Amino acid sequence: MKNRFFVLGMILCLFGAVLTLTCCKSTDTQGETETTVQAPEEKEPVETPAIPAPEPEKLVEKVPEVAPEPANIVFAKQLQALLAQGRVKDAIALFDEIPSELADDLDLMIVLASLYVSDGQYDMAIKTADKVLAKDPSNLSALEIKTLCAKAKGDSSAYKAASKAILAVDPYNAQVNIMEGDDQALNHKWKLARDAYTKALKSEPENEDALYGYAKMTYYMDDLKLAKEICQSLLDKNPQNAEALALMGKLAAEDMNYVRAIKLTQDALLYDPDNYDFYLDIGTYYRYQGKYTEAAKNWDKAVEILPDYFLAYAYLAGVYDEQEKFDLALYNYRKVIETNPDYYYAYESTAILEYHFGNYDNARELFDKAYSYAPNNYSYKLMNIAMYLKEGNKTAAKKTGEALMKTLDRESLEYNMARLFIDNYSKNAETSLVNKITKERENDRNKYGKMLFYMGLFNEVNGSLDMAREYYAKVTAMQAPMFFEYRIAEWGLGL
C-alpha cells in the first residue's frame, strides 16, 4: 500500500525539527564604543619649510569574523541535504553523529524511525518508535509508525494493538482508517472500506488517499456518478494524481469510451511510469477495441515491470489463445502457473494446449492438478485415460479408469463411459451407452455434448476416425462451447 501521507508527515516533522533548531541559534551582537575627542587649543601659526606630503596609506577593510555554526544547525542541514538527494541509508548513518543536545529530541527520533521504515528496517523503526512512546505514550506519530511496520511485517496482532491504541486517542485518525479501508478493499468488502475512508476524511477532508479510496469504492459499488464527481474534485485539486486519472479512465471505459480511457491512463503513466495496473488497464481497453497487438504490447510492458507476477501472463495467454496463436498462449499459460501455482483456473487451459501439442505427460499432470481443485469433474480423468490409450499404455489407463469409477454412481453416464474406455470392447455396451446419451439430450444439453465428445474420442483412440469426426461434428453443431472439450472437438475436425 502506498503511504504518501506518512512520508509527507515525516518531511513535515523534519522541517519542524529543523526550524526548532534554527530558532535555537544564538545571535551575538557587538556594542559600539563612542569616543569623545577634544579640539586642540588654538596656537599662533609658525612658518615651516614646505615638505612634500606623503602618499596616503591604503585603508584595509577588516572582515568581521563569523562564528562557526552550532553543531545542531550543522546536523540539521546535513540531514536535509541527504534527504533531498534520496540518500536514506546515509541519513540514517548520520544519526550516529547526532549532537548530544539532540539525542533525546522526540521529533528527530520520529524522523529516524520514518527513515528506517523507508529503508525497510521495520524492527529498527519499531524499536525507535518505542523509545518515543516510553517518553510520550500517546505520541500518534510513533503509534502510526508501529501500525505501518506491523502491517508490512504481516504481524496482525501487533497491527491491531497499535491501531486500537491510535483510535483510542484519535478515532478518525486518517492513517489507520485508510489502512483499514485498504484491507477491506482487498477482501472485496466495498461498503466497509468506504466507511473507513469516510472516517479518514472527517479528520483530513483533503487527504488524497482517502478521497481516492472513497471514489474507488463507489465505483465498485456501481455508483458511477458519485465516483466521477469525487474523482474530478480530486483532479481539480491535483491534476497530477495518477491513481485518480486511471480511475477516470475506468469510468470512461464504463461508457465504452475506450479512446478516452486509454488517454487518461496514459496520462496517469506520465506521473507513475512503472505502474503495473495501468498497463493492464490500457491493454484491456485496446482488447475491447479488437486491437490485440496493442493490447499485448502493454501487457508485455507490465511483465517487464513485475516479471514474477502472474496476471499479465494470464491476459497475454487469453488474447493469444483467442487468436489461435497457441504456441504463445501455451508459453504464457505456463508462466501463469510458474508465477502463481495456486491460480487453479490456469491448469485446465494449459492442459488443453499441452494435449493439442501432443505433450501428454504434461497434459496429464495438469489435468490431475485441475482435478485436485475440482474432484467432481470426471472429464479430467477421462482425458488422461484417453491419452494413456493413445500411447498404448493400457495398464495405466485401466488403473486410472478404475480409480475414477469408484467415485461415480454405477448407473451414471460417466461411469459407463469410463468403463467403455478400459473394458474389453463390447458392441452391446457401446449401443446401450449411445442410447442413454441420446435420452440425456433433453435433460442436460451440457452433459449430452460432453458425452458425444467422449464417444468421438473413444473412436479416435481406437482408430475409427470417420466415426470420431461424426461425433465431433455433432458437438460443434451445438454451437455452445460451455465445456472445454468443445475446442478439442473443433481441432478433431481440423477447424
Side-chain angles (χ1 to χ4, degrees):
M1 180 191 70
K2 295 182 180 178
N3 285 280
R4 294 193 300 272
F5 52 89
F6 176 74
V7 176
L8 176 61
M10 179 189 79
I11 295 172
L12 291 175
C13 180
L14 172 61
F15 286 167
V18 171
L19 287 173
T20 302
L21 293 171
T22 304
C23 291
C24 294
K25 182 180 180 183
S26 59
T27 56
D28 296 331
T29 57
Q30 296 180 348
E32 295 179 355
T33 303
E34 187 177 319
T35 305
T36 304
V37 180
Q38 291 184 341
E41 295 181 0
E42 293 185 2
K43 296 183 180 181
E44 293 291 330
V46 179
E47 291 187 14
T48 56
I51 301 173
E55 293 183 6
E57 295 182 2
K58 293 182 179 179
L59 297 176
V60 179
E61 184 179 351
K62 292 184 178 181
V63 179
E65 294 183 2
V66 179
E69 289 185 319
N72 54 5
I73 298 297
V74 173
F75 175 83
K77 288 184 175 180
Q78 289 175 331
L79 187 58
Q80 276 188 307
L82 291 171
L83 289 176
Q85 298 173 44
R87 295 164 59 185
V88 175
K89 290 186 182 296
D90 290 336
I92 292 173
L94 188 65
F95 277 84
D96 293 336
E97 305 168 15
I98 192 169
S100 58
E101 62 268 30
L102 299 179
D104 294 327
D105 185 283
L106 296 187
D107 284 339
L108 285 175
M109 290 171 72
I110 291 295
V111 172
L112 176 58
S114 303
L115 291 171
Y116 280 131
V117 172
S118 298
D119 198 43
Q121 299 187 50
Y122 301 120
D123 290 333
M124 290 300 297
I126 292 171
K127 183 178 179 181
T128 306
D130 282 338
K131 289 181 180 178
V132 174
L133 292 170
K135 297 182 179 183
D136 181 7
S138 61
N139 189 295
L140 283 175
S141 296
L143 289 168
E144 287 173 351
I145 287 170
K146 291 194 70 173
T147 60
L148 195 63
C149 293
K151 187 174 181 63
K153 293 177 64 178
D155 189 341
S156 58
S157 59
Y159 169 68
K160 289 178 182 177
S163 298
K164 185 177 180 180
I166 290 175
L167 294 177
V169 179
D170 181 10
Y172 297 104
N173 180 274
Q175 175 173 312
V176 171
N177 281 295
I178 289 172
M179 292 172 74
E180 174 66 17
D182 291 344
D183 283 344
Q184 297 292 358
L186 283 174
N187 292 319
H188 294 184
K189 296 180 179 178
W190 314 134
K191 186 178 184 302
L192 292 176
R194 186 195 62 184
D195 292 346
Y197 294 129
T198 301
K199 287 184 179 179
L201 288 169
K202 285 188 176 181
S203 63
E204 296 185 18
E206 302 299 315
N207 187 296
E208 290 189 21
D209 290 290
L211 283 168
Y212 170 73
Y214 188 89
K216 194 170 186 179
M217 292 311 103
T218 57
Y219 164 70
Y220 286 147
M221 295 169 71
D222 290 326
D223 192 344
L224 303 184
K225 182 179 178 182
L226 180 57
K228 191 175 293 186
E229 289 174 0
I230 298 168
C231 214
Q232 187 58 57
S233 69
L234 182 51
L235 288 172
D236 290 341
K237 296 180 179 68
N238 179 10
Q240 298 181 2
N241 187 303
E243 291 176 317
L245 284 166
L247 182 53
M248 285 295 273
K250 289 180 181 293
L251 290 163
E254 289 289 334
D255 295 330
M256 292 187 288
N257 190 344
Y258 301 122
V259 173
R260 176 170 166 75
I262 290 169
K263 175 63 169 61
L264 285 164
T265 316
Q266 287 173 336
D267 288 346
L269 284 170
L270 295 176
Y271 309 111
D272 190 0
D274 292 324
N275 191 299
Y276 183 91
D277 292 332
F278 295 172
Y279 282 105
L280 290 185
D281 288 345
I282 292 173
T284 300
Y285 305 147
Y286 275 121
R287 182 178 184 177
Y288 288 157
Q289 296 179 85
K291 297 180 179 179
Y292 298 129
T293 301
E294 291 301 320
K297 284 180 182 178
N298 281 276
W299 293 331
D300 280 333
K301 181 62 179 177
V303 166
E304 290 177 18
I305 294 170
L306 288 178
D308 294 329
Y309 192 59
F310 77 99
L311 199 52
Y313 294 117
Y315 286 9
L316 284 164
V319 77
Y320 286 133
D321 207 347
E322 187 175 338
Q323 298 176 83
E324 297 188 354
K325 296 180 179 179
F326 297 132
D327 53 341
L328 292 173
L330 180 56
Y331 169 81
N332 283 282
Y333 278 130
R334 287 172 176 170
K335 293 297 290 186
V336 172
I337 293 171
E338 176 187 324
T339 53
N340 187 3
D342 293 329
Y343 190 69
Y344 60 87
Y345 301 104
Y347 288 112
E348 180 183 291
S349 298
T350 315
I352 293 168
L353 290 182
E354 295 283 12
Y355 174 85
H356 180 61
F357 284 108
N359 304 325
Y360 293 153
D361 285 341
N362 292 346
R364 278 192 295 267
E365 181 180 350
L366 292 164
F367 277 131
D368 282 340
K369 288 289 288 186
Y371 187 75
S372 69
Y373 287 102
N376 293 325
N377 195 331
Y378 60 89
S379 298
Y380 301 140
K381 291 299 183 181
L382 286 177
M383 288 298 301
N384 284 356
I385 292 168
M387 283 185 281
Y388 277 128
L389 291 173
K390 282 190 172 190
E391 294 175 325
N393 191 343
K394 293 183 178 180
T395 301
K398 189 174 184 66
K399 183 178 179 181
T400 303
E402 288 174 346
L404 173 62
M405 290 162 65
K406 289 178 181 178
T407 68
L408 301 172
D409 178 358
R410 292 177 65 88
E411 300 301 318
S412 67
L413 283 173
E414 298 91 326
Y415 180 94
N416 284 280
M417 183 63 72
R419 186 172 182 178
L420 180 67
F421 269 89
I422 64 172
D423 276 2
N424 292 326
Y425 175 73
S426 166
K427 182 62 177 178
N428 289 336
E430 181 182 359
T431 302
S432 174
L433 182 55
V434 170
N435 289 335
K436 289 181 179 179
I437 292 172
T438 303
K439 291 179 181 178
E440 194 66 32
R441 181 174 185 174
E442 301 303 323
N443 298 326
D444 187 339
R445 285 183 57 80
N446 193 56
K447 181 184 285 190
Y448 169 72
K450 287 168 73 74
M451 289 293 108
L452 286 177
F453 166 79
Y454 284 108
M455 284 303 304
L457 185 58
F458 171 78
N459 280 278
E460 180 186 335
V461 166
N462 288 282
S464 301
L465 299 184
D466 289 340
M467 184 60 70
R469 293 190 186 97
E470 185 177 326
Y471 279 113
Y472 290 154
K474 289 180 180 179
V475 174
T476 58
M478 295 177 68
Q479 296 183 348
M482 300 299 293
F483 44 91
F484 74 81
E485 294 91 344
Y486 184 95
R487 299 185 68 196
I488 303 174
E490 288 184 321
W491 293 337
L493 290 172
L495 300 177

